[in-house]
Amino acid sequence: MSAVFTGFGQKAIPFLKALDFHQNREWFHENRDLFEKELREPLGDLVETLTERFGAAGLGLRGDRKKSLFRINRDVRFSKDKKPYNTHVSAILSPDGTKSDLGVFFFYLGLDACFAAVAWWQPDAALLQALRRAIETRPAEFRKLVAALGKGGLEFGTQGAMKRMPRGFEHVVDADLAAAIRNRHFVVRQTIDPADIHTPALADQLAAFAVHARPLLDWGRAIQGSVAPQ
């Protein structure tokens, strides 16, 4: 039976602040039990609770506490910043329950931000081309998607968008379609008030957000299904 999310610990944010200050392995290992209790275990509970909620809603997203949580340790092999630890925790729920699938739900709790996102993030070249071509050739369908997201208070982010139109789409002149085609990712997100992370109501808030973002999942999946495997 899956665990029930009851909220992150009251010391979750203070722990991340202390970790940011100390940034050494000795301090972390001395305080690992606090990390597990206040952050990692609740995050695992949240993933399992959302998996049940998403399943009941037919969203086709799932995860578990072993595969879905990202590590607190940073990969510093190719980074000039050698701090060993992230100052956030995060997790992903996807159609197959892994971190490598597309059309996902992402949760991030950190010192710099707290948010949830539903995204087609870094689609491969064939899928990205197909998403862009769908916007170009079926504009009414895309605008219907935008309107459906708007009813839930959501709009596409522009992180990583190209400054110029990609090759083959230079003829698209409608401003809304051109802006969408320049995207490298298709993402909607909801900011979470850090004060809301300590109660079970956070799961309700995240589940409602995912339902509002469902049109993006459905749109991308329909296009994904038409793309030949690479």
Side-chain angles (χ1 to χ4, degrees):
M1 184 175 179
S2 299
V4 176
F5 177 72
T6 59
F8 288 93
Q10 293 295 328
K11 296 180 180 179
I13 299 298
F15 176 88
L16 293 175
K17 290 180 179 178
L19 179 62
D20 186 41
F21 176 79
H22 290 282
Q23 280 293 349
N24 69 75
R25 291 175 176 82
E26 182 178 353
W27 182 90
F28 180 80
H29 287 296
E30 288 177 354
N31 293 275
R32 189 179 189 95
D33 288 347
L34 188 62
F35 167 68
E36 296 287 342
K37 177 183 176 184
E38 301 290 303
L39 284 159
R40 191 165 182 84
E41 287 301 320
L43 182 58
D45 294 344
L46 180 61
V47 166
E48 294 186 353
T49 296
L50 289 177
T51 293
E52 290 190 356
R53 298 282 188 89
F54 292 172
L59 291 176
L61 296 169
R62 60 188 174 92
D64 63 58
R65 63 178 64 246
K66 292 184 178 180
K67 296 179 181 179
S68 300
L69 278 60
F70 288 90
R71 300 174 69 236
I72 192 73
N73 304 75
R74 295 182 64 245
D75 184 352
V76 299
R77 291 174 298 172
F78 308 107
S79 175
K80 292 181 180 180
D81 182 356
K82 298 301 181 182
K83 292 179 181 178
Y85 299 106
N86 291 309
T87 55
H88 66 265
V89 295
S90 56
I92 195 167
L93 288 85
S94 68
D96 69 358
T98 72
K99 297 187 183 81
S100 58
D101 209 353
L102 296 173
V104 303
F105 174 93
F106 179 71
F107 175 76
Y108 181 103
L109 167 59
L111 295 182
D112 56 332
C114 184
F115 67 90
V118 166
W120 292 88
W121 187 259
Q122 294 183 335
D124 61 41
L127 178 55
L128 180 58
Q129 181 76 358
L131 293 168
R132 287 170 167 168
R133 196 63 69 190
I135 296 168
E136 173 210 3
T137 59
R138 301 193 296 277
E141 180 181 303
F142 178 74
R143 286 171 173 147
K144 184 178 179 179
L145 163 65
V146 172
L149 293 172
K151 289 180 180 178
L154 304 176
E155 60 182 24
F156 283 113
T158 58
Q159 182 179 357
M162 299 175 65
K163 294 183 178 179
R164 297 182 179 180
M165 291 295 285
R167 183 177 301 176
F169 295 92
E170 297 88 349
H171 61 282
V172 178
V173 295
D174 288 6
D176 60 333
L177 302 181
I181 288 170
R182 288 197 298 271
N183 282 331
R184 289 189 173 95
H185 323 285
F186 293 88
V187 184
V188 293
R189 59 183 279 174
Q190 178 170 311
T191 300
I192 306 298
D193 187 335
D196 293 340
I197 69 171
H198 304 296
T199 73
L202 175 63
D204 300 329
Q205 184 179 354
L206 297 177
F209 160 68
V211 169
H212 289 147
R214 180 174 188 161
L216 175 56
L217 292 171
D218 293 343
W219 175 75
R221 287 170 181 167
I223 296 167
Q224 185 184 39
S226 69
V227 177
Q230 297 295 299

